[in-house]
Amino acid sequence: MRRAGCLILIIGLAIAAFFAFRFVHGWTGEGPTTADRTFVVAEGATLTSAAVALKEAGVIRSADAFLARAKLFGSSDPIKAGEYLIPKGASNADILAILQGGKAVARMVTIPEGMPSILVHERLMAQKELTGSIPVPAEGSILPDSYAFDKGETRAAVVKRMQAAMTKALAELWAQRSPTTVVKTPEQAIILASIVEKETGVPTERPTVAGVYSNRLRTGMMLQADPTIIYPITKGKPLGRRIRKSEIAAVNDYNTYAMTGLPKGPIANPGRLSILAVLQPAQTRALYFVADGKGGHIFADTLQQHNENVRKWFEIRRQRGEL
């Protein structure tokens, strides 16, 4: 009789140990996902609602079992809204840690320096993970940078962040302006910086280009910046051909070949370096510059020097078969 009782006890303990093992293994063992996948935790979601959604998505086997194990083994930290990557075979413990850790999937949209707003609009509208429609943002209101966004976020919210970043950057840079800057307002700084941005892709040249245009503005010379001819035609998109004589002579609010002073507004979204170049221009006597054939420019103080540099540039283009 005593032997039978011991046997029953041993069997009972074995069964209890088996279920205890199963319970623990259900927390740390491999989950049902057969491939990496993403899972979205909605704003305001609770662990209970997330567990139901995880079960429906096939990421866990049981919502009730997940919740029971999470209560016993898991942290009491709240889960965070966002889109998360759930690795193949992730355990319940792994999944809870991911949702509590807040390291969401990084979705990025990059706005290069000098991108006009019409192309910013096209880039945002092409992002299928974003929602909602937006108008073309105001030219010069977007700070070029890389921006993270969540799946399902509105395009309007992303634009708002981009514009807030420009407002903040401009305020910081304006506070660092030199007494030698020719611009009188932050708005003027953005306009001139957008021209500098489009005139050179060489970062080290920007302060000198800004210095040349500052000198021209002070002396009442026309800026004569080719990108200001193109902007009214394409809103900043590449022209795709040579500029026509009629376009050089066209009178409008942007063409600096037909007016003195600054255009009525920016012609692109300038980056920090171009804004800083305008606010801290190089001290130079140069009034002219032309391409050097190597991706940069040659600067000149006098028209005679400039004409010689232009002659050399045209000779380079002839040798390349461009003329």
Side-chain angles (χ1 to χ4, degrees), residues 163-242:
Q163 292 177 327
M166 175 59 93
T167 299
K168 181 181 178 182
L170 181 56
E172 292 172 350
L173 295 171
W174 182 255
Q176 302 172 36
R177 68 190 184 281
S178 165
T180 60
T181 184
V182 72
V183 295
K184 304 301 182 186
T185 66
E187 292 73 23
Q188 289 183 355
I190 291 293
I191 294 172
L192 186 54
S194 71
I195 298 174
V196 172
E197 189 78 74
K198 299 301 287 186
E199 282 285 21
T200 180
V202 181
T204 55
E205 283 190 352
R206 288 169 182 158
T208 306
V209 172
V212 169
Y213 284 137
S214 297
N215 290 341
R216 289 191 170 198
L217 287 169
R218 288 192 188 95
T219 58
M221 289 179 62
M222 292 181 178
L223 294 183
Q224 293 188 326
D226 288 0
T228 65
I229 300 174
I230 297 170
Y231 186 79
I233 303 169
T234 67
K235 295 301 179 185
K237 289 185 177 183
L239 186 59
R241 56 172 173 77
R242 295 180 66 179

Side-chain angles (χ1 to χ4, degrees), residues 40-303:
V40 177
V41 176
E43 194 70 42
T46 63
L47 184 58
T48 299
S49 64
V52 173
L54 286 165
K55 171 62 174 67
E56 291 175 350
V59 179
I60 60 175
R61 294 184 175 91
S62 166
D64 290 338
F66 176 84
L67 290 169
R69 291 176 174 115
K71 186 175 182 179
L72 186 61
F73 302 120
S75 163
S76 60
D77 293 340
I79 61 173
K80 299 176 182 178
E83 182 184 10
Y84 299 95
L85 177 66
I86 308 297
K88 173 185 176 181
S91 68
N92 284 3
D94 294 333
I95 293 168
L96 181 62
I98 290 169
L99 302 190
Q100 290 176 331
K103 293 184 179 179
V105 173
R107 296 185 182 277
M108 307 290 290
V109 58
T110 298
I111 306 302
E113 295 176 333
M115 176 175 275
S117 286
I118 192 170
L119 292 182
V120 173
H121 178 265
E122 290 182 4
R123 181 159 294 191
L124 289 174
M125 293 305 296
Q127 289 286 345
K128 302 302 183 184
E129 296 86 0
L130 291 172
T131 61
S133 185
I134 52 169
V136 175
E139 199 69 76
S141 68
I142 301 293
L143 182 68
D145 206 340
S146 292
Y147 295 88
F149 65 88
D150 296 325
K151 184 177 182 179
E153 187 174 7
T154 66
R155 294 179 176 89
V158 177
V159 168
K160 186 176 180 180
R161 283 205 302 280
M162 293 174 169
Q163 292 177 327
M166 175 59 93
T167 299
K168 181 181 178 182
L170 181 56
E172 292 172 350
L173 295 171
W174 182 255
Q176 302 172 36
R177 68 190 184 281
S178 165
T180 60
T181 184
V182 72
V183 295
K184 304 301 182 186
T185 66
E187 292 73 23
Q188 289 183 355
I190 291 293
I191 294 172
L192 186 54
S194 71
I195 298 174
V196 172
E197 189 78 74
K198 299 301 287 186
E199 282 285 21
T200 180
V202 181
T204 55
E205 283 190 352
R206 288 169 182 158
T208 306
V209 172
V212 169
Y213 284 137
S214 297
N215 290 341
R216 289 191 170 198
L217 287 169
R218 288 192 188 95
T219 58
M221 289 179 62
M222 292 181 178
L223 294 183
Q224 293 188 326
D226 288 0
T228 65
I229 300 174
I230 297 170
Y231 186 79
I233 303 169
T234 67
K235 295 301 179 185
K237 289 185 177 183
L239 186 59
R241 56 172 173 77
R242 295 180 66 179
I243 297 171
R244 299 175 181 140
K245 289 183 178 180
S246 60
E247 293 165 343
I248 296 174
V251 177
N252 54 56
D253 292 330
Y254 288 94
N255 182 11
T256 56
Y257 275 81
M259 61 184 285
T260 57
L262 293 168
K264 73 176 247 183
I267 60 170
N269 291 290
R272 289 180 179 88
L273 291 179
S274 290
I275 298 171
L276 187 61
V278 166
L279 296 175
Q280 297 180 10
Q283 297 302 296
T284 178
R285 296 174 59 188
L287 288 169
Y288 309 92
F289 62 93
V290 69
D292 62 4
K294 301 175 183 178
H297 295 84
I298 298 177
F299 297 86
D301 296 352
T302 68
L303 182 59

